[in-house]
């Protein structure tokens, strides 16, 4: 997707630290009132959010969309559950993977695509503490190598 009218509003970097993201899927989201205005202003936090299946529908919980500053008394609840829009076949495929393999759904990114709010869901498996330490060590060693190469090129 090379920037076909896409503006990334929020990334969930903590998800990549805490989970192995095996697959990603794009979903629409049902919003009310002034939520889209807050999203356009970048007032979204995905840090502790997760998606869950309820009555054959996928819902996102703990996604914080701040109330719109110029809103009135009809502003939305920032942490209310929000329904995701997916095709039935996509939901069935996700349900099968989640129930059989013990995976979970984590929102990894929220973006605007041609004016519509979209959520990127990651089909994720939790990392153990030693996996997290190993990933940090790899990232640190890669950073050290890049610094050494940069210093060598300068001299």
């Amino acid at each position: 997707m090379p920037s076909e009218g896409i503006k990334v509003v929020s990334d969930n970097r903590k998800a990549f630290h805490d989970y192995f993201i095996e697959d990603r899927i794009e979903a629409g989201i049902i919003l009310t009132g002034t939520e889209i205005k807050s999203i356009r202003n970048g007032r979204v936090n995905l840090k502790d959010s997760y998606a869950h299946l309820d009555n054959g529908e996928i819902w996102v919980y703990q996604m914080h969309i701040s109330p719109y500053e110029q809103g009135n008394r009809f502003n939305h609840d920032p942490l209310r559950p929000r329904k995701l829009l997916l095709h039935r076949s996509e939901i069935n495929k996700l349900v099968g993977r989640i129930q059989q393999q013990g995976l979970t759904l984590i929102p990894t990114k929220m973006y605007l695509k041609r004016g519509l709010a979209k959520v990127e869901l990651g089909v994720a498996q939790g990392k153990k503490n030693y996996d997290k330490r190993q990933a940090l060590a790899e990232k640190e060693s890669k950073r050290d190598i890049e610094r050494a190469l940069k210093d060598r090129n300068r001299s």
Side-chain angles (χ1 to χ4, degrees):
M1 287 188 263
S3 73
E4 53 185 44
I6 293 177
K7 176 189 172 196
V8 176
V9 178
S10 179
D11 271 329
N12 189 355
R13 286 182 257 148
K14 189 173 193 285
F16 293 97
H17 178 72
D18 291 342
Y19 299 95
F20 292 114
I21 307 295
E22 295 183 5
D23 194 16
R24 296 178 190 178
I25 189 165
E26 177 183 87
I29 185 168
I30 295 181
L31 302 171
T32 61
T34 56
E35 286 178 329
I36 189 64
K37 293 183 179 192
S38 292
I39 290 171
R40 286 189 179 124
N41 287 338
R43 306 286 308 253
V44 180
N45 187 355
L46 299 175
K47 191 165 112 180
D48 295 325
S49 61
Y50 62 96
H52 189 69
L53 180 79
D54 285 335
N55 295 329
E57 300 172 334
I58 306 275
W59 292 76
V60 173
Y61 297 94
Q62 298 298 319
M63 177 190 291
H64 188 276
I65 299 177
S66 298
Y68 186 58
E69 292 92 18
Q70 285 81 36
N72 54 16
R73 61 189 172 141
F74 298 112
N75 256 340
H76 60 275
D77 176 23
L79 289 174
R80 75 175 186 85
R82 294 169 179 91
K83 183 178 172 182
L84 294 181
L85 302 171
L86 291 164
H87 290 284
R88 175 60 47 203
S89 60
E90 292 174 323
I91 292 174
N92 292 339
K93 188 166 56 170
L94 287 174
V95 168
R97 291 188 66 189
I98 291 168
Q99 289 175 346
Q100 289 178 356
Q101 300 172 3
L103 302 175
T104 186
L105 292 174
I106 303 294
T108 57
K109 188 187 301 183
M110 178 174 255
Y111 52 93
L112 296 170
K113 184 176 182 180
R114 288 180 260 147
L116 300 174
K118 302 286 184 179
V119 175
E120 181 182 84
L121 282 180
V123 180
Q125 182 175 8
K127 282 185 182 178
K128 304 281 188 230
N129 279 336
Y130 58 83
D131 291 330
K132 294 179 191 177
R133 285 192 292 267
Q134 183 179 357
L136 283 174
E138 288 174 8
K139 189 185 289 186
E140 196 171 305
S141 66
K142 195 180 293 184
R143 192 178 310 128
D144 290 341
I145 290 170
E146 288 176 5
R147 284 183 186 153
L149 288 174
K150 193 181 281 187
D151 290 341
R152 200 173 94 192
N153 290 338
R154 286 184 185 166
S155 47

